[in-house]
Structure formats: structure tokens, C-alpha cells
Amino acid sequence: MKTIRDWVFSQLVSMSLVSSRPLSGSDSFFSEGLLEEESDDQGSGRTANLVALPLLPDASHTSDGNQENQHNPSQKQVSVEDSYGSPHMSDKKKLDPLAKIEGLQVTFLRLLRRLGQSQDNLLVAKVLYRIHIAALIRAGESDLKRVNLGTNRVKAVAMKQEADGLPELDFSFRILVLGKTGVGKSSTINSIFDQTKTMTDAFQPATDCIQEVVGTVNGIRISVIDTPGFLPYSSSNVRRNKKIMLSVKRYIKKSPPDIVLYFERLDFINMGYSDFPLFKLITQVFGTAIWFNTILVMTHASSALPEGPSGYPVNYESYVTQCTDLVQHHIHQAVSDSRLENPVLLAENHPHCKTNFMGEKVLPNGQVWKSQFLLLCICTKVLGDVNSLLKFQGSIELGPLSTTRLPPLPHLLSSFLRRHSMSVPNGLEDQIDESLLLDTGEEDEYDQLPPIRILKKSQFERLTDSQKTDYLDELDYREILYLKKQLKEEYQRRRENRLSKEENLVNHNDYDSQQVPPEAVTLPDMAVPPSFDSDCPVFRYRGVVTSDQWLVRPVLDPQGMDHDVGFDGINLETAVEINRNVFASVTGQMSKDKEDFSIQLESAAAYTDPSGPTYCVGLDVQSSGKDMIYTVHSNAKLRSLKHNIADCGLSLTTLGKKYYVGAKLEDTIAVGKRLKFVVNAGRMGCPGQVANGASFEATLRGSECPARNDNLSMTMSILSFNKEIVLGAGLKSEFRPSRSLRVSVNANLNSRKMGQVCIKTSSSEHLQIALVAAITIFKAMLRRKTAESSREALESG
């Protein structure tokens, strides 16, 4: 069960801005990987000319900010963190992450007021909510009230400081620009600063080296790292693109960016667009962490819209959504994770772009893209600093989703307590049943019965109802006696074989050579599903029973990949006697389709000591996603009294790097022929967790047992895990209310008010089968009517 902390943390992963964090938190982003080592030998000197000195700002800006980025880049982040709080903050509060978070919220709200953004903005509300959730995760029990009450206080402080103008804001962020050549990276940089910071060219790449541009926009110091554009993907351009990426990686290693802008032209995206190889190369060089703080920038956002099927231009919003979803899909493929959602910024740098009364460029949807750019960058920077302060770096990783689910410890313990050891011939359970039949001292009643005449159908129909009942009761009585006689003869034959084997071993006779191996028998054909092909090769799928006691049969899967015959797996069963008193059994099933592979295997070997004990060891294998669950179990059964069996067992389960070790004790007592009690207790643990459990089961067999399996079982259990105790009770019964109907009932309930009831029936009477179908149809119609009524109520409300 998820804890509240696990739940709120899962909310942090739901959107891209939530998982946004400084790239300094990823080792893969800065580590000199194999790609860099390979390129160093190819031309480390050739990449040096890609790096240029940062461009100095114009005369209206001092060079202090640029020098700070050059000589002491690591101090920038510290100064920003210190500026979030009040200058009169005590040293104790400076060391308190929650106090820094409050100061960060104050700065964020002040920036929003300067940009003219409301706190009701959806993006702003999400950022504030996630900051609050992150603070709750890291807060202790004593700080929860402080975090919950701090929101209103932060808003009041922000309003007062912004009205007074003190303290002065010292907020800055660093941007890395990436994208293909000719998509408008340099033009967008000039539009952001409203002046020419970099050279542009409409006919050839204008940026041939890495350069840093520093300026101030709305009182925010912005540092932009402009990089050479990537060439469209081809086998000849991969080497050059990789060389550019490695140069950028070395440049930002000492002073990582807070935000990454990836540029793409909106009017160049169509159904043939595929930049997956380029995204994959970026991921390999920089690591998946680069996409956490990436904003997708779509330039030429005011270009003419394409025509739709009707001949008219398509809707602007739907066109933008379609294009951005296509780019995002290729990024998902590159990182092998579909949870990532990058914010999207639409930009237009054309001088004839529409403007509002303030001279700001406006997009066709009425949005001022420059204000949206600042808002997205501030939100990304703030959330990144929150993750850094609360030490969330490394907590969220991109990559293929693991389908492996760790089994809960109580579930493993319950399965271990319910596990029954391998049933071997002449085992202790068989000896108890044998003693119940052979030690009764009753005479064989079946041989003393007078002969009975079996009536034909026409003769049976002429009988009266009472005569029919008496006749059927007599047949049932004779059938039960005959089955008991067969079981007695089987047990006697086993006993004689056991004695003869012992005599043959003494006389050095080969008992096995005296037996004639049975001939191979072909099993009947399996029902094959309908096929769309011209032929259906049924003859290829047959199971053969041979003398080696191996049973191999195909597994029918109508929904499998093989639509011809539907066989996508095999089933294997065997039970052999390896040596005297040594038995082995293997049962397994394997299925394979184009993507998934699943296997379930249960194997066990047992040794029966003639003096009484039985020792068993087994291995179970089960697939869980792409991982395998291995369970090694062993147990020893001791028979101290005639109708008592003591059992002790051990279990070791491994899944990946997790190990579960369990132990149990069990005792079985048979009272008379029909009553049996089973008591067990066990314990299972893994590093840091322990579960304890016990159960009591009472089973009452039917009066016709063991000829028929009528029984009634009642179970009580108790489980203790994580200081929580769960009580459970269960009822299981199999009985035959009439000659043609058999019913199985299974019900359980625990102290958490969770349980289930399962009723299974099997009948050979057509009327009863029709009644079951009628009840099912009626229940489905009633459920459908209820759903329609609730839908109408919602529509009317």
C-alpha cells in the first residue's frame, strides 16, 4: 500500500515541470562517456575552434555579470539561493531548506507581479502547488503545520517587499540553445534582448562556434549559450553533429545551464518529419537528464497554415498540437519513456509580425510569446532550484518503464504457508489414507451385494417416481462401494510392490527389467480455432505419451501471435521415480510471442525414508515482466504418531537484487476417518522488513470419502506486517446436492473488510445450464439499466 509520501511524490512525476531540475544533478550529463573518449582520438584539436569567448553586453550593461560567469560560475547559484531570503535572516534559517523554499516562493511571486502575470494562471498555480507538495515530502512531522500555514504568509511578504522595492531582486538564469541549423536560434536570441546580439543569415549557417550572450530583460539577468546548428540526419553528418555536441558538453561542464531550449521550425513539421536519430544522439551524448529542463521552441509560428481536406486552412490550435505531439513522440522514443512532457513555446521573429499597442509581437492565437518565454524560464528555474534545495536530484530517472512489480511480503508469506509439498507415492499422506481404509476391519461389502439388473432407458421410463429414486440410490450406493474397493486394491498393490522391491534388492534382482514398458499412445487432437488461411495443419500439433512418462502438449492461445492455429507455447509435465524412494516431478508452461516471453515452472524432488521421514526440495521459476522470480524451497515431514505429521520448511525467493527468506512449522492431525486439523506458523523477511503469520484449518470430509471428494474446510489466519495485524477467515466447500449437480463454494473475509465469494457449479442437466445462462443475462441487463439511469441523472443534473 502506498504511503502518503509515496503518493505525493508520484504527483511530482506527472508533468515535465514537476520533474524539472538543474542538469547538475545528473552524472550522465557531465561524465566523459565513451562517446567523448572515442571522439578525442579522432580530433580533439579540431573541436577547439567551435568555442568562442562570450560576447560582452552593450554599454548599457556592466561586464560584472559576464566576468562572474567566466571566473566563478559556481558562486552564481549560491548567490541566487541566498537572495531568496531576507537580508536579516539568521544563520539558522540560512541552513534551513524550508526557509529557503519560502524565500524562493517570495522571489517567484515578485517576478510574477513584474511580468504582469496573475497567480490564477494555470502554469503558475501548478508551480506553486508542486513547490508545496515537494516541501511536504521533505518536511518532518513538526514542520507540516509550518508548511501548510506558510502559503498566505509568503504571499503577504511578497506583496510588501514588491511595494517597498526592498530587497532588490538578484534573479538570473542560464540558457543553452540547441537545434538544427537555420531554424532561427540566433534570431530568437536577438528578439529576446530586443537588439542584435548575434549575427544571422538567411542563406547559410550564421553561428559556427559556441558563444555566450549576456543581457538583462525586465530586470532579470539572462545568459544564453548559442551553439552551432546541427545538420539534418544522414550517415555523413553524424560525425559532425557528435563533434558539436561534445564541444558543447565540455563547455557547460563547469557551469551548467538552468534551461535548455530546443528549436524547431513549426512550418517544417509534417507527417514525414523524423528527427528520432538526432534526438537519440543528443540523449547518448548528454544523457537523458538534458530533457528534464528542455523547452521546445517552435519558430515561424505565424507562418501560413496548410490546407486541410476541405481545402481551407486548418485550425491553428489543432495544427500546433499535432506538430508538437509529433516532436514529443520522437523525444519519447529517444529516451524510451513516454512520461516526459516538455513545455512548448511558440516564437515569431519576422519583422512584419503583428504587434499589440505596446509593440510586443503577438501570435495568431493572441499570445505575447516573449512574456510566455520569460514565464516558462522562470518556472523551470524555480522548480530546478527547489529540487536542488530539497535534494531531489537523481530521484527521478528517465528510461524504459520497469514492468516488474515487487511482490508484497505478506503475499509471499501467505503463499508459503499455503504451499503443499510434493505428493509422492507411498508418502505420509497416502499412508494416512491407506490406514483409514485398511485398518477399519470392515468386510468387503461390495462382494457381498446381490447382483443387480441394469435397466434400459425404455424400462427405466416405465418405473414410478419412487421406483426411479430407489433404483438410482442403489446405483449410487454400489458405485461408492466399488470405488472404495478399487482404492483398497490399489493400496494393497502398492504395499505388495513395496515389499517385493525390498525382497528383490536383497536377492540382487533387477525389478525394473521385469516390467514391460508401455507402448506410446497418441493423444486425441486438440480443438483448433477457425483459421483465415487456406489450410490448417492440425497434424503438426499432437501430444504423444511415451514410456519415459514425459507429457508435452501445445498451449492454445486464441489471442496469440499465431493466428493460424493459435499455439504459442508448450506445456510440460512429468513425474518419475529416479531411484528407490527418490521421486521427481516437473510441471511447467512456456509462452512466447513477438515481444513477451513468459514461463511458469514448478520442479521438486523428494526422498522417502522407509523409517518414516520425507525430505523434499524444489525450485519454482516465474516470469515477472522482463525479470524472473526464483524460489528455492525445502521441507521435511516427520511422522511421530499414527495420525500425526509434523512439517518444517524453508524458502528463499529472489527477484533482481531483493531476497526474501522464510521459515515455517506445520502440524497435521487426523481424527478418525473424516476430520483433519492443520496448524502452521511462519515468518518471512527481507532487508528492513519482516512479516509473521499463522493459520488454523479444519477439514471435514464427506461420509463417502475417499471415494468422493466432498469436504468442508474452515480457515482462520493472522498476519502481522509493519506493526499492523490483519485477521482473516475463509470457508471452502465442495459437495453434490444432486446426482447431476456439483457445487464448489469459496469465501474469505479479513479485518480490513475485504473479501470475496466464489461459487462454481457443474451440471449435466440442460435445464440447470439454461437457468445459469438466464441469471447471467438478467444480471447483465440489470447492470446496464443501472448505468443508463445514472447517466440520465448526470445529464439532467
Side-chain angles (χ1 to χ4, degrees):
M1 181 179 293
K2 281 188 176 182
T3 61
I4 183 63
R5 288 175 179 266
D6 295 334
W7 179 85
V8 295
F9 183 75
S10 64
Q11 303 301 312
L12 293 176
V13 198
S14 58
M15 294 190 62
S16 60
L17 285 178
V18 180
S19 58
S20 171
R21 59 176 180 171
L23 295 176
S24 57
S26 172
D27 297 335
S28 61
F29 189 75
F30 301 104
S31 59
E32 301 294 333
L34 296 176
L35 292 174
E36 186 173 353
E37 293 176 359
E38 295 174 358
S39 63
D40 287 342
D41 298 332
Q42 296 175 1
S44 58
R46 288 176 293 175
T47 60
N49 60 350
L50 291 175
V51 182
L53 293 176
L55 297 179
L56 295 177
D58 54 11
S60 62
H61 304 288
T62 63
S63 61
D64 296 340
N66 191 19
Q67 293 174 357
E68 179 185 359
N69 291 328
Q70 282 183 329
H71 302 293
N72 194 10
S74 61
Q75 189 178 356
K76 175 177 67 66
Q77 186 176 359
V78 176
S79 63
V80 173
E81 292 178 357
D82 293 342
S83 66
Y84 294 146
S86 171
H88 303 290
M89 185 185 299
S90 62
D91 294 338
K92 181 178 180 180
K93 287 189 176 181
K94 286 184 178 181
L95 298 177
D96 185 6
L98 295 181
K100 292 185 178 182
I101 295 298
E102 292 180 359
L104 181 58
Q105 288 177 300
V106 171
T107 302
F108 179 61
L109 294 177
R110 291 183 62 183
L111 289 171
L112 293 179
R113 293 178 65 87
R114 294 191 179 186
L115 294 178
Q117 297 288 346
S118 171
Q119 297 181 15
D120 297 332
N121 184 290
L122 180 60
L123 181 60
V124 174
K126 288 182 178 180
V127 172
L128 293 175
Y129 171 73
R130 282 158 177 79
I131 292 176
H132 179 71
I133 294 297
L136 286 176
I137 292 176
R138 284 292 185 260
E141 297 294 337
S142 59
D143 295 328
L144 291 178
K145 184 177 180 180
R146 170 187 169 188
V147 173
N148 291 324
L149 297 178
T151 304
N152 295 331
R153 182 175 65 253
V154 165
K155 293 180 180 179
V157 172
M159 185 179 299
K160 183 177 184 304
Q161 289 186 2
E162 189 63 17
D164 298 340
L166 294 175
E168 295 184 0
L169 284 178
D170 184 15
F171 188 85
S172 63
F173 50 82
R174 187 176 173 88
I175 299 175
L176 172 64
V177 172
L178 297 176
K180 291 185 294 186
T181 183
V183 296
K185 300 187 296 297
S186 299
S187 299
T188 304
I189 294 174
N190 294 335
S191 298
I192 291 173
F193 293 107
D194 286 333
Q195 52 182 302
T196 303
K197 292 283 187 176
T198 60
M199 300 299 297
T200 59
D201 196 317
F203 302 101
Q204 61 182 358
T207 305
D208 56 358
C209 60
I210 301 174
Q211 55 185 0
E212 188 167 349
V213 179
V214 180
T216 303
V217 179
N218 287 11
I220 303 173
R221 187 170 67 253
I222 302 176
S223 177
V224 182
I225 304 173
D226 194 10
T227 61
F230 305 131
L231 296 179
Y233 176 78
S234 67
S235 57
S236 58
N237 293 335
V238 171
R239 187 174 180 181
R240 181 184 182 276
N241 290 340
K242 186 187 296 185
K243 183 174 67 173
I244 295 175
M245 294 178 192
L246 292 173
S247 301
V248 174
K249 185 177 180 179
R250 281 190 290 268
Y251 185 86
I252 64 176
K253 184 177 181 180
K254 294 183 179 179
S255 182
D258 302 302
I259 304 153
V260 178
L261 301 181
Y262 185 83
F263 283 76
E264 188 58 82
R265 285 189 61 161
L266 185 65
D267 56 340
F268 277 9
I269 300 177
N270 51 39
M271 296 307 297
Y273 171 86
S274 178
D275 271 357
F276 167 74
L278 182 60
F279 293 145
K280 191 68 176 179
L281 185 61
I282 294 174
T283 305
Q284 292 175 355
V285 175
F286 294 99
T288 57
I290 191 174
W291 300 108
F292 274 116
N293 287 17
T294 298
I295 300 174
L296 301 180
V297 181
M298 299 293 178
T299 59
H300 296 261
S302 296
S303 301
L305 297 174
E307 293 183 354
S310 61
Y312 293 95
V314 298
N315 179 265
Y316 182 78
E317 296 294 343
S318 61
Y319 175 68
V320 170
T321 302
Q322 182 180 2
C323 294
T324 54
D325 288 347
L326 185 59
V327 176
Q328 187 73 72
H329 172 69
H330 290 300
I331 296 177
H332 289 167
Q333 289 183 324
V335 300
S336 301
D337 197 330
S338 59
R339 295 173 296 175
L340 180 68
E341 294 184 11
N342 298 101
V344 178
L345 173 67
L346 303 176
E348 179 57 67
N349 302 310
H350 198 279
H352 294 157
C353 177
K354 293 182 179 180
T355 59
N356 57 13
F357 68 95
M358 298 180 62
E360 298 172 327
K361 294 181 179 180
V362 180
L363 300 177
N365 59 358
Q367 186 181 71
V368 180
W369 74 265
K370 187 175 177 181
S371 299
Q372 186 69 12
F373 159 77
L374 291 176
L375 179 61
L376 285 175
C377 290
I378 291 172
C379 292
T380 306
K381 164 68 174 175
V382 168
L383 286 176
D385 290 342
V386 170
N387 290 338
S388 178
L389 289 173
L390 299 181
K391 300 179 180 179
F392 280 138
Q393 295 96 334
S395 300
I396 307 173
E397 295 294 338
L398 291 176
L401 288 175
S402 176
T403 57
T404 302
R405 295 184 59 186
L406 296 178
L409 204 56
H411 172 73
L412 290 178
L413 178 59
S414 299
S415 302
F416 180 49
L417 293 178
R418 291 194 304 266
R419 180 190 301 277
H420 297 287
S421 60
M422 174 185 173
S423 178
V424 299
N426 306 327
L428 298 182
E429 295 91 346
D430 290 341
Q431 293 178 16
I432 289 181
D433 293 336
E434 180 180 348
S435 63
L436 293 179
L437 282 175
L438 300 181
D439 297 344
T440 56
E442 298 179 358
E443 298 180 357
D444 195 348
E445 299 181 10
Y446 182 78
D447 294 335
Q448 299 178 2
L449 292 176
I452 185 174
R453 179 186 177 186
I454 304 300
L455 301 179
K456 297 181 180 180
K457 185 177 181 180
S458 59
Q459 295 174 341
F460 180 78
E461 295 294 338
R462 289 197 293 266
L463 298 177
T464 63
D465 293 340
S466 60
Q467 290 176 340
K468 289 180 180 180
T469 303
D470 295 339
Y471 177 75
L472 294 176
D473 290 340
E474 180 67 21
L475 290 181
D476 288 342
Y477 177 70
R478 290 174 177 265
E479 180 185 2
I480 293 172
L481 293 181
Y482 179 73
L483 291 175
K484 289 183 178 181
K485 176 184 176 181
Q486 282 188 325
L487 289 175
K488 286 183 180 180
E489 293 176 352
E490 178 66 23
Y491 287 134
Q492 290 174 353
R493 186 162 48 251
R494 288 184 183 180
R495 176 178 290 182
E496 293 173 359
N497 290 338
R498 189 162 62 246
L499 295 175
S500 62
K501 283 183 180 181
E502 294 176 357
E503 293 177 359
N504 290 336
L505 288 174
V506 173
N507 299 329
H508 302 284
N509 292 330
D510 189 4
Y511 176 77
D512 295 333
S513 63
Q514 299 176 6
Q515 294 183 345
V516 178
E519 296 181 357
V521 179
T522 304
L523 295 180
D525 292 335
M526 298 182 64
V528 179
S531 172
F532 294 100
D533 296 336
S534 58
D535 56 348
C536 189
V538 182
F539 62 89
R540 295 183 301 173
Y541 301 96
R542 289 190 177 184
V544 178
V545 178
T546 59
S547 59
D548 57 2
Q549 298 183 1
W550 286 87
L551 175 61
V552 181
R553 303 195 67 174
V555 176
L556 177 62
D557 184 9
Q559 305 299 328
M561 57 172 281
D562 189 354
H563 69 279
D564 182 14
V565 290
F567 297 123
D568 291 335
I570 60 172
N571 181 276
L572 173 68
E573 296 180 12
T574 184
V576 296
E577 182 178 0
I578 300 176
N579 201 348
R580 179 172 177 255
N581 298 327
V582 178
F583 305 90
S585 68
V586 177
T587 303
Q589 179 174 313
M590 180 187 69
S591 300
K592 178 70 173 70
D593 58 14
K594 293 182 179 180
E595 297 181 358
D596 299 328
F597 170 79
S598 63
I599 183 174
Q600 292 182 351
L601 177 66
E602 295 182 1
S603 59
Y607 169 72
T608 302
D609 194 335
S611 61
T614 299
Y615 307 97
C616 179
V617 62
L619 172 65
D620 297 345
V621 180
Q622 181 179 355
S623 57
S624 176
K626 295 185 178 181
D627 293 335
M628 304 294 291
I629 300 177
Y630 301 94
T631 301
V632 179
H633 54 88
S634 64
N635 67 294
K637 290 191 173 184
L638 307 174
R639 183 173 182 179
S640 56
L641 300 175
K642 186 174 183 180
H643 301 303
N644 178 263
I645 298 176
D647 185 1
C648 59
L650 297 174
S651 172
L652 173 62
T653 302
T654 173
L655 174 59
K657 297 182 179 180
K658 299 207 69 175
Y659 297 89
Y660 304 87
V661 181
K664 73 171 182 177
L665 294 174
E666 183 175 297
D667 190 67
T668 303
I669 302 174
V671 180
K673 299 180 181 180
R674 302 172 55 189
L675 188 59
K676 182 177 70 172
F677 298 101
V678 179
V679 181
N680 58 28
R683 178 185 179 94
M684 180 166 287
C686 65
Q689 292 182 335
V690 175
N692 300 288
S695 66
F696 172 78
E697 180 181 2
T699 302
L700 178 63
R701 299 181 179 184
S703 59
E704 302 169 356
C705 183
R708 288 177 178 166
N709 295 326
D710 294 349
N711 62 80
L712 174 64
S713 298
M714 291 182 292
T715 307
M716 293 182 293
S717 63
I718 179 172
L719 281 175
S720 174
F721 179 66
N722 283 344
K723 299 181 180 180
E724 183 179 3
I725 297 178
V726 178
L727 302 177
L731 175 66
K732 184 178 180 181
S733 177
E734 293 184 12
F735 58 95
R736 194 178 67 159
S738 64
R739 296 183 181 88
S740 59
L741 179 63
R742 188 165 187 84
V743 179
S744 174
V745 179
N746 190 357
N748 57 73
L749 182 67
N750 59 25
S751 57
R752 291 183 174 179
K753 298 181 180 180
M754 299 173 61
Q756 64 177 0
V757 177
C758 178
I759 302 177
K760 297 181 180 180
T761 61
S762 61
S763 173
S764 59
E765 294 290 340
H766 299 289
L767 179 61
Q768 295 173 349
I769 296 176
L771 182 61
V772 172
I775 294 175
T776 305
I777 296 174
F778 176 75
K779 189 175 181 181
M781 294 176 61
L782 184 62
R783 187 180 303 171
R784 183 176 181 180
K785 183 177 180 180
T786 304
E788 292 178 354
S789 301
S790 59
R791 189 183 304 111
E792 292 177 358
L794 290 175
E795 292 176 355
S796 61

